[in-house]
Amino acid sequence: RVVRLLRVMKLPFFSDLVMMINGAVGGVRTLIWSQILLAAPLYGFAVTLREWLGPMSSQGQGAEMFGSMSSSFFTCFRCLVAGDCVLSDGRPLVLTVSTTYGASFMVAYLFAFAFMTFGLSNVIASIFVDNILVAAKLNHLRMKQIRLSDQRMFAEKAMALIELVWREQGKAGQLPFTEGDGPEKWTNLELDDLMRIRLTPQFFDELRNMRAFQDILRDLDISPEEQCDLFDTLDVDGGGTIDLDELIRGIMKLRG
């Protein structure tokens, strides 16, 4: 079942999902360092509040939340990261402590909240997203490199492209054509006809509007944007027509 699942994941339909998974895996190290970076200032705030409000924990009114180091750190995490800054009875922690022990706590909280939310958290999020995108792009380039080095795949797609041109030329009455003909049935005469095929801009536009033609070019890493002016790119001599040799060699050069 695992092997079947892996085979299914290779389908083009799941390409975006695979890219996201690879990007997330590539961002694991960044995620770990971001947690450490978040924990460092939280620990500093927790130590400060433990020394400030800890001795008054017996008086209650929110000071008990900072009676120990572990409790102080967890409370700082709740208030500055999780957004759950309330007492056990539902009263707001910041308002209760600042009312009881002075407005200086409110000022300290506002500074810490601004630092964690608008400074540190946004920077960490942007770096994490950037690393995921970089990892996804590198994976895309690696997969493209594998495709470019796959000569067998290129030969199969090139043959499919030639066969498509052959069939469309035959349907237009420009070549001897029999329904069901394929590469295995091509005769020497038909191969000579293939070598004499010249693609005009009008015929090439008809091919470019065909889904099968677009899919073959996409499999050969010719993007839809490059397909729009592909004829002009392949017609290097400016003769107004291209033959099959120019078509295949030009696509090979475009792939790198």
Side-chain angles (χ1 to χ4, degrees):
R1 292 182 179 180
V2 175
V3 174
R4 290 180 180 178
L5 179 60
L6 293 176
R7 289 178 179 176
V8 170
M9 295 295 287
K10 292 183 179 180
L11 295 176
F13 179 78
F14 294 99
S15 59
D16 291 338
L17 176 60
V18 173
M19 183 179 296
M20 287 189 292
I21 293 175
N22 290 330
V25 172
V28 168
R29 185 173 63 177
T30 303
L31 180 62
I32 294 175
W33 281 112
S34 67
Q35 299 305 310
I36 296 175
L37 187 59
L38 277 175
L42 281 178
Y43 182 79
F45 295 143
V47 170
T48 301
L49 293 174
R50 169 69 182 87
E51 296 298 323
W52 184 4
L53 297 175
M56 296 177 285
S57 59
S58 59
Q59 302 179 25
Q61 298 300 316
E64 70 277 8
M65 305 297 292
F66 305 95
S68 65
M69 191 59 214
S70 59
S71 177
S72 179
F73 184 86
F74 183 62
T75 301
C76 289
F77 175 82
R78 287 177 54 204
C79 289
L80 300 175
V81 179
D84 181 28
C85 199
V86 295
L87 296 172
S88 57
D89 56 4
R91 290 181 298 160
L93 174 61
V94 177
L95 184 60
T96 301
V97 173
S98 60
T99 301
T100 305
Y101 302 104
S104 56
F105 179 80
M106 176 71 75
V107 175
Y109 171 78
L110 292 176
F111 170 79
F113 183 83
F115 175 79
M116 295 294 295
T117 303
F118 301 109
L120 198 58
S121 297
N122 286 339
V123 171
I124 290 175
S126 62
I127 294 176
F128 181 68
V129 172
D130 182 66
N131 282 354
I132 289 179
L133 294 176
V134 169
K137 184 177 181 180
L138 290 177
N139 178 73
H140 175 73
L141 293 176
R142 182 176 63 85
M143 297 302 297
K144 182 177 180 180
Q145 186 63 35
I146 293 175
R147 292 196 303 271
L148 292 177
S149 62
D150 190 351
Q151 297 298 324
R152 180 178 178 183
M153 185 275 291
F154 179 81
E156 292 175 351
K157 295 299 179 181
M159 186 63 70
L161 189 62
I162 293 174
E163 184 177 355
L164 178 63
V165 173
W166 162 266
R167 291 183 183 279
E168 293 304 313
Q169 289 266 332
K171 289 178 181 179
Q174 301 179 27
L175 291 174
F177 172 77
T178 302
E179 190 67 32
D181 280 355
E184 68 282 353
K185 296 184 179 180
W186 289 346
T187 64
N188 290 333
L189 178 61
E190 290 169 342
L191 289 175
D192 291 338
D193 293 331
L194 281 174
M195 295 300 101
R196 290 195 297 268
I197 288 179
R198 293 293 184 272
L199 306 182
T200 63
Q202 295 78 14
F203 181 72
F204 193 86
D205 285 339
E206 294 178 6
L207 289 174
R208 194 167 56 81
N209 291 326
M210 297 176 59
R211 180 63 181 271
F213 188 77
Q214 296 173 7
D215 291 342
I216 293 175
L217 292 181
R218 190 178 299 109
D219 291 339
L220 292 173
D221 296 299
I222 306 299
S223 65
E225 293 78 13
E226 293 176 321
Q227 295 179 23
C228 294
D229 58 351
L230 183 59
F231 184 88
D232 295 332
T233 303
L234 299 178
D235 186 20
V236 292
D237 59 0
T241 61
I242 58 175
D243 57 26
L244 292 181
D245 183 64
E246 288 177 315
L247 177 64
I248 301 303
R249 289 182 181 274
I251 292 176
M252 186 182 298
K253 291 180 179 179
L254 286 176
R255 298 180 77 233

